Structures are given as structure tokens and as C-alpha cells.
Amino acid sequence: MRTLLILMLISFGINSSAQENYSEKAFDLRPFSSSSDHWYRIKGKNNIIDPLPDQQRYKPTQITQIADNMLLYQRKNGGWPKNYDMQAILTEKQKQRLLKTKDELHTTFDNGTSYTQVNYLAQVYSQTKIEKYKEACLKGFQFILDAQYKNGGWPQYYPLQDNYSRHITFNDGAYMGIMNLLKKVAADSSEFAFLPTALRHQLEAAYKKGIDCILDCQITDQWKLTAWCQQHDEITLKPAWARAYEPPSICNGESVPIVFFLMQLEKPDKRVINAIQGAVKWFADSRIFNTRIEWFDAPTEETPFTTITKDKRVVNDPSAPPIWTRYYELETERPLFCDRNSKFLYSMAEVSRERRVGYGWYTHAPQYVLNAYPDWLKRTGIKENVIEN
């Protein structure tokens, strides 16, 4: 009996040390920040659970507790709903509510969802070797495969809904989030060494199809390659409406991560080279000079969406760095704005105050691509501005 007790204590000691080891290394939780922020800031009518006024959170080092939360939120189809905090320390009531709604398949890639959980669970399993995290990760990968269109794109929600979320979605990093995850699989990252061979091959094929779809979606406007839209029709691949104030257009902000992704591809073929150089030339040609966006205090205004205390305007400033509007109109290539009534506008001042301050109408992001372009040319040995047909 004494020997058995000693063995039990030794075993307990080993398990306790292992559990402590699990929490020694924290994994990056920044990819979940968009969903977390939405949960606390906006009370969504479709929320399964709402945050408590004093909702506590796990420390980043408590990786198994955070991973257990992800298992609670994972739906039966392998995907996740958006706009929750994976670090929240849930009450028993909140946990039971989640368990009772496993069949609700309102699952998405929006706001950094699903592909982020898959990546995190892979990291936790690689460190802990706890089987349940591997199983959940594999289900998540299958969800990604199930959601992919035959043309290689991904919708915002899967199962498909009867609205704009059916479109191929570059908005909010959805498409490129999936692609960057699959890129790690294709590159034989050690954290995915546990993947079964057959599944790995499927994911590698999905990755290649995803690249083809990116190239197929690039907008040709006025007989030249430009950039991409936030969303593209899932059948025709043409630019498509997203939300009421997000029109079919050339979208510079959303195009920047796409170009950076293409720049990271080893041994790019002619089509990839053309895509990069076409987008770089578009970014250079669509620059706006002498323009600065200025925020200022303004009278408080209550709207159905939020309380506004600020406003913003365009200021002429010869010292300002180049800037770009988020949207450029197809065919005319004029800077484009929009409102909740979907009316095309041609200056930010025309946009209602609620949308003017509540949306990013200008961006500096293309400058990062222009800055990186010379290094890409040097690394690849490609001639500058040689765009082949």
C-alpha cells in the first residue's frame, strides 16, 4: 500500500509538473483581438452568450484553459462563431449555454475566426500532446476544406447564407488568414507535424487552389491589372457588394495583405510576378498627395449604432505623406465613398457623420508595399516594371 501511495505521489508530481510546463510558453493571442473587442463593445443580437460586467480572463500563459474554451465554442461542423473572447473565464451557466448550442452552425472566418483557433490548437497540441486538442484542430481543418469553393475561394460564413457573406471574402483578413495558415502547412511547419498524410495533401491542394483564385480575382480595369475588391462574386469572381456602404470597387486597404502574401512565394511564376507588379503600379498611380485626415471634437450625437463625440475632415497639407482612399470607382478610378443607403459619393465630407467617423475611408497601407517592392525585386532577381502578358 505504501509503495502504491509513493507511485501515486510520483505520478501526481509528474502530471503536476507537466501541467505547469503547459503554461510556461504563451502563444500569440493578438489574432483573436477583433472578435474579443466586438464581444465586449457590441452586444450582438445573435450572441450565444454575453459578457458579464466583471468577466475575468485567463492569462496568456494558461494555454490549456484557453484551448478548453475553444473546444466549448467549436460547433459540430468544426468551425467557430465570431465575436467572443477565447480568454474569458466562463461561468458554469455560460458553459452550459455553449454546450446546448453545439448544433447552431453560424460559423465563420470573419473577424479572425476559425483559422485562428485551428492554429492555436495546433500549437497547444504540439506542446502538450493532449489528444482532444489534436482532434479539435483536425475538425477545424476539415471545416476549412468543406467551406472552400471549387474555384479555390472561401465565403465569409459556412454553411452558406443567403446574403453577401456567400461572396469570396478578402475583407477583415478572412481569406488571407486561411491562406497564411495553409502556407505553414505547405511549408512543413513543425507545429503541424501531427497531421495525417492524406489530410496534409488535401490542405496543400486547397492552398494551391487558393493562390489560383487570388490571381483569378485580381481586377483588370481600363485594360490593366490593378488590385482586388473586398469581396468577389463566388461564381463570376467579379467585384461585389459587401455591406451597404462597401461597394464593388478597387480596394487598396484589403489588397495590401494579398500583395505581401504573393511577395512571400518562393520562385514566383510569370502570373504571380504580373499580379505583384500590376498591383504595385496601381498603388503608385493611385497615390493622393497633399492630403491629411484630421480628427476634431464635435457636438455629441446619438445614433442607432453609437454615441459620437468626434468628427473628421480632409485637410490640405503639402507636407503630408502619400495617402490612398479605401475605394476607387471601377472604370473611372475616382476615389469613392459610400453611405448606408449605398449611394456613391465622391468626397468624405458627403458621407453621414456616423459612417464618416465609424469607418476607415483613407489608408497609408499601400506605402508598405511600395517600400518593400525594391527588396522583392532584389531577392527574386526580377526586372523592375516588366509586366508580361
Side-chain angles (χ1 to χ4, degrees):
M1 183 70 180
R2 186 169 181 271
T3 303
L4 178 61
L5 179 61
I6 291 171
L7 290 173
M8 289 175 65
L9 287 172
I10 292 172
S11 175
F12 177 77
I14 292 172
N15 289 336
S16 296
S17 297
Q19 182 66 43
E20 289 173 5
N21 286 338
Y22 296 158
S23 63
E24 286 180 358
K25 180 180 179 182
F27 301 120
D28 190 4
L29 291 164
R30 287 174 296 178
F32 300 99
S33 61
S34 178
S35 272
S36 177
D37 175 66
H38 277 77
W39 193 48
Y40 291 110
R41 187 170 53 87
I42 302 172
K43 188 173 182 179
K45 62 181 181 180
N46 295 319
N47 279 3
I48 300 170
I49 58 173
D50 290 314
L52 301 173
D54 59 345
Q55 192 85 51
Q56 302 298 300
R57 306 181 81 214
Y58 290 116
K59 297 176 182 178
T61 51
Q62 293 178 284
I63 62 171
T64 55
Q65 290 92 333
I66 295 170
D68 285 340
N69 265 1
M70 294 182 187
L71 268 58
L72 277 172
Y73 281 105
Q74 190 175 29
R75 309 286 87 183
K76 285 187 176 180
N77 65 353
W80 279 264
K82 70 176 181 177
N83 297 348
Y84 298 97
D85 181 12
M86 296 298 107
Q87 287 180 256
I89 300 176
L90 303 176
T91 65
E92 284 304 313
K93 185 177 180 180
Q94 288 173 321
K95 290 179 181 179
Q96 289 304 313
R97 173 62 181 157
L98 289 171
L99 289 171
K100 289 178 180 177
T101 56
K102 286 283 187 178
D103 289 328
E104 294 183 12
L105 304 181
H106 196 61
T107 40
T108 184
F109 301 110
D110 194 26
N111 291 349
T113 308
S114 293
Y115 60 88
T116 47
Q117 281 89 349
V118 170
N119 187 66
Y120 190 91
L121 290 169
Q123 292 174 305
V124 175
Y125 173 72
S126 295
Q127 183 168 321
T128 66
K129 302 305 180 194
I130 296 176
E131 195 68 17
K132 62 181 178 180
Y133 303 136
K134 173 184 174 181
E135 293 173 1
C137 180
L138 295 179
K139 283 180 62 179
F141 270 124
Q142 189 60 52
F143 172 74
I144 290 171
L145 291 174
D146 292 342
Q148 188 178 33
Y149 287 121
K150 290 182 179 179
N151 59 25
W154 280 275
Q156 189 179 118
Y157 277 84
Y158 187 81
L160 298 175
Q161 301 187 0
D162 192 21
N163 55 36
Y164 68 84
S165 69
R166 301 172 67 95
H167 296 325
I168 293 169
T169 303
F170 293 109
N171 204 4
D172 293 324
Y175 194 117
M176 301 318 298
I178 299 168
M179 288 298 291
N180 282 309
L181 172 65
L182 297 185
K183 184 174 185 288
K184 292 199 286 185
V185 174
D188 292 325
S189 174
S190 59
E191 64 198 35
F192 300 106
F194 63 88
L195 291 177
T197 300
L199 178 60
R200 180 180 295 277
H201 289 164
Q202 286 180 288
L203 294 170
E204 289 171 351
Y207 174 69
K208 291 176 182 177
K209 286 172 61 179
I211 294 174
D212 288 339
C213 187
I214 288 172
L215 300 175
D216 290 340
C217 284
Q218 189 172 16
I219 300 167
T220 297
D221 195 69
Q222 296 190 19
W223 304 283
K224 64 181 182 294
L225 283 173
T226 60
W228 288 262
C229 190
Q230 289 174 320
Q231 296 196 202
H232 287 252
D233 186 275
E234 68 276 17
I235 298 172
T236 67
L237 304 186
K238 292 182 178 180
W241 278 96
R243 288 174 288 190
Y245 48 88
E246 296 175 325
S249 56
I250 305 170
C251 304
N252 280 0
E254 282 72 18
S255 296
V256 167
I258 299 174
V259 180
F260 272 124
F261 172 83
L262 294 175
M263 282 181 165
Q264 292 168 9
L265 297 179
E266 296 295 330
K267 299 179 180 178
D269 60 23
K270 288 182 179 180
R271 198 171 178 216
V272 171
I273 294 169
N274 288 352
I276 293 169
Q277 295 196 320
V280 166
K281 188 173 189 310
W282 164 253
F283 288 153
D285 291 345
S286 59
R287 286 175 293 184
I288 299 169
F289 298 95
N290 306 321
T291 297
R292 175 170 54 84
I293 308 306
E294 179 180 80
W295 286 84
F296 59 95
D297 292 328
T300 299
E301 181 179 324
E302 295 289 343
T303 77
F305 309 97
T306 187
T307 301
I308 305 171
T309 60
K310 298 281 186 179
D311 204 343
K312 60 182 178 180
R313 59 195 167 207
V314 174
V315 176
N316 181 270
D317 181 357
S319 67
I323 198 169
W324 290 259
T325 51
R326 188 169 194 159
Y327 303 125
Y328 289 79
E329 187 175 33
L330 297 170
E331 297 183 5
T332 71
E333 298 181 356
R334 295 170 62 188
L336 179 65
F337 304 83
C338 211
D339 220 322
R340 289 189 181 274
N341 61 4
S342 299
K343 182 180 178 180
F344 279 23
L345 306 170
Y346 297 97
S347 72
M348 191 176 70
E350 297 176 82
V351 180
S352 66
R353 184 180 168 194
E354 181 272 326
R355 275 300 79 198
R356 188 164 60 243
V357 302
Y359 201 62
W361 295 106
Y362 282 84
T363 178
H364 290 98
Q367 187 62 52
Y368 295 108
V369 170
L370 297 181
N371 292 345
Y373 181 60
D375 289 337
W376 176 78
L377 290 172
K378 184 177 180 180
R379 177 170 58 83
T380 58
I382 294 166
K383 294 181 180 180
E384 185 173 6
N385 294 329
V386 177
I387 302 177
E388 300 181 37
N389 295 320

